[in-house]
Amino acid sequence: MKTLLLTVDNCVNNSEIYSQAVDYLNRGELVAFPTETVYGLGAVATDESAIRKIFEAKDRPSDNPLIVHIGNVEEIPTYIEYIPEVAKKCMEKFWPGPLTIVMKAKDGVVAPSVTAGLNTVGIRMPDHPVALTLLRTLKKPLAAPSANRSGKPSPTKAFHVKEDMDGRIPCIIDGGTTGIGLESTVLDVTTETPVILRPGGVTKEMLEEVIGRVAQPTLQEQKEEKTPKAPGMKYTHYAPEAPVYLIDDSTNLYEAIARLQAEGHTVALLAPDGYEQCGANYFFTLGDENEQQQMGVYLYDALRACDKTDATIILARATYKKGVGVAIMNRLEKAAGDKWYNNKK
Ligand code: AMP
Ligand code: MG
């Protein structure tokens, strides 16, 4: 299959591009498109055979559900039995935006593979002109996970999608670099106290200002649950080829890097600005440590860049778990499989 790259910008006839993409989707094919979080790999959410192609193209485990993207709030009652008050407040405050709300699904409306057999469905309205125009032209919901091969870092640029999906999907819409760089916050409102299943750009603090107490279990607590609420959480994610080790700020980076190099390692370092001179063979910046939004934008690009090097080990400087830092550390802990340099034998 040849993969077509369609670029939307101010200089070309964009309406033709959208109608081409909509044609693919209506024919049950996949289209990758930019959102404000990361690039998504979309298929019509009610078309089971199209949805199966997402799982094939990504090599995604079939018990990992997909998020449904909509272009208008009015569509919600089509998919949801009952919209809880907290969900309404969140939609009003955070949509369009990087918040996925998990609610009880109406039976038999979205394709069964979208919910992976759960009786809930995660829905969001993306805040990106290309995603919204695509959805509103299509006039159908799009189920879309991140447009990377399963396990790899999510794509924040169209060429990341091409790296992972070339020859596997017919069409990528290139709308430039995504703004946030981290996937949406996933909030489950089916329990008495809403639970953050995946941290993201909409933080616990922001949610609590609008809907009161919200629970945010750690990765460890989620792992200990007998039946994981967000099935995706149990899989490896965001991982480059070489092993990633987190390193905290009490460990001397110079010494750690020198020791690894003496052991024969080629070291890539992912860290905020200011750590360029630590002697690593490769340095990838995570931006300004005091601007965690910025760190989110750099993170996946930096993890992917490691795969272009001959590094045999990747050290990632831990950041503080406050605000968006919670989401950044969640992704880094998963990329590292929770390995810390100090524990390295
Ligand atoms: P991705 O599509 O790669 O961004 O991953 C979507 C994430 O949302 C996964 O971790 C899923 O497990 C989670 N998710 C999607 N739908 C649901 C749902 N109905 N219930 C719980 N988690 C969900
Ligand atoms: Mg993903």
Side-chain angles (χ1 to χ4, degrees):
M1 181 187 292
K2 195 170 161 8
T3 302
L4 195 65
L5 193 66
L6 304 173
T7 305
V8 283
D9 61 28
N10 296 332
C11 312
V12 290
N13 182 353
N14 289 336
S15 64
E16 219 163 85
I17 287 175
Y18 287 110
S19 69
Q20 217 172 330
V22 163
D23 277 352
Y24 278 119
L25 292 164
N26 278 328
R27 273 186 267 140
E29 294 294 344
L30 308 183
V31 172
F33 61 96
T35 78
E36 83 281 28
T37 58
V38 301
Y39 272 76
L41 182 59
V44 172
T46 49
D47 180 343
E48 175 67 13
S49 79
I51 297 301
R52 292 230 178 115
K53 291 181 187 168
I54 292 182
F55 287 86
E56 271 166 40
K58 281 186 61 105
D59 294 323
R60 185 176 171 106
S62 60
D63 64 347
N64 192 1
L66 306 178
I67 292 168
V68 174
H69 295 71
I70 57 167
N72 294 290
V73 194
E74 292 72 35
E75 297 170 46
I76 295 282
T78 317
Y79 314 107
I80 300 301
E81 206 66 65
Y82 153 79
I83 308 168
E85 214 40 53
V86 285
K88 283 185 193 153
K89 285 187 183 157
C90 285
M91 289 171 197
E92 237 163 69
K93 177 76 184 175
F94 300 109
W95 279 8
L99 178 70
T100 297
I101 307 177
V102 173
M103 294 170 278
K104 281 260 177 322
K106 265 189 189 164
D107 264 355
V109 182
V110 296
S113 296
V114 169
T115 59
L118 301 170
N119 61 2
T120 55
V121 62
I123 301 189
R124 87 174 187 103
M125 177 153 63
D127 187 14
H128 190 287
V130 175
L132 284 174
T133 307
L134 183 65
L135 285 161
R136 290 171 185 169
T137 314
L138 178 70
K139 298 191 176 67
K140 290 176 188 172
L142 280 177
S146 48
N148 52 282
R149 297 281 277 271
S150 220
K152 291 276 136 207
S154 302
T156 54
K157 296 179 158 74
F159 85 84
H160 295 158
V161 181
K162 197 157 162 58
E163 278 175 348
D164 279 20
M165 292 294 158
D166 201 22
R168 296 187 151 229
I169 62 171
C171 178
I172 302 168
I173 304 178
D174 182 351
T177 303
T178 60
I180 297 176
L182 297 171
E183 301 83 351
S184 61
T185 304
V186 178
L187 181 72
D188 182 355
V189 298
T190 63
T191 45
E192 197 169 305
T193 305
V195 184
I196 295 175
L197 299 177
R198 174 174 74 185
V202 174
T203 63
K204 179 175 192 274
E205 294 78 8
M206 289 158 78
L207 287 166
E208 287 189 329
E209 243 179 63
V210 179
I211 55 171
R213 204 174 91 75
V214 168
Q216 181 161 255
T218 61
L219 273 178
Q220 197 50 42
E221 285 163 349
Q222 291 203 18
K223 270 188 208 152
E224 283 159 13
E225 286 252 341
K226 277 214 190 71
T227 36
K229 279 286 185 66
M233 288 302 159
K234 66 175 188 269
Y235 293 109
T236 319
H237 263 97
Y238 323 119
E241 301 294 331
V244 180
Y245 285 82
L246 281 156
I247 183 160
D248 67 26
D249 58 7
S250 67
T251 310
N252 186 314
L253 261 174
Y254 294 84
E255 281 170 19
I257 290 167
R259 211 174 92 191
L260 288 166
Q261 287 168 336
E263 288 169 13
H265 276 295
T266 304
V267 183
L269 174 66
L270 258 64
D273 293 338
Y275 292 97
E276 294 86 345
Q277 309 300 330
C278 288
N281 303 78
Y282 301 98
F283 174 78
F284 298 107
T285 183
L286 294 179
D288 181 344
E289 184 155 31
N290 300 312
E291 299 278 339
Q292 287 185 313
Q293 310 272 3
Q294 209 185 78
M295 292 178 75
V297 175
Y298 283 104
L299 180 63
Y300 291 136
D301 205 13
L303 283 168
R304 276 181 177 264
C306 291
D307 280 347
K308 300 273 192 295
T309 72
D310 60 350
T312 55
I313 191 165
I314 300 162
L315 292 181
R317 188 69 157 181
T319 187
Y320 42 91
K321 286 188 183 178
K322 266 176 88 183
V324 187
V326 176
I328 291 168
M329 281 306 291
N330 167 276
R331 306 310 190 269
L332 278 175
E333 281 167 6
K334 298 211 73 181
D338 216 15
K339 298 189 295 300
W340 286 79
Y341 173 77
N342 289 344
N343 305 333
K344 192 178 170 295
K345 283 183 225 96

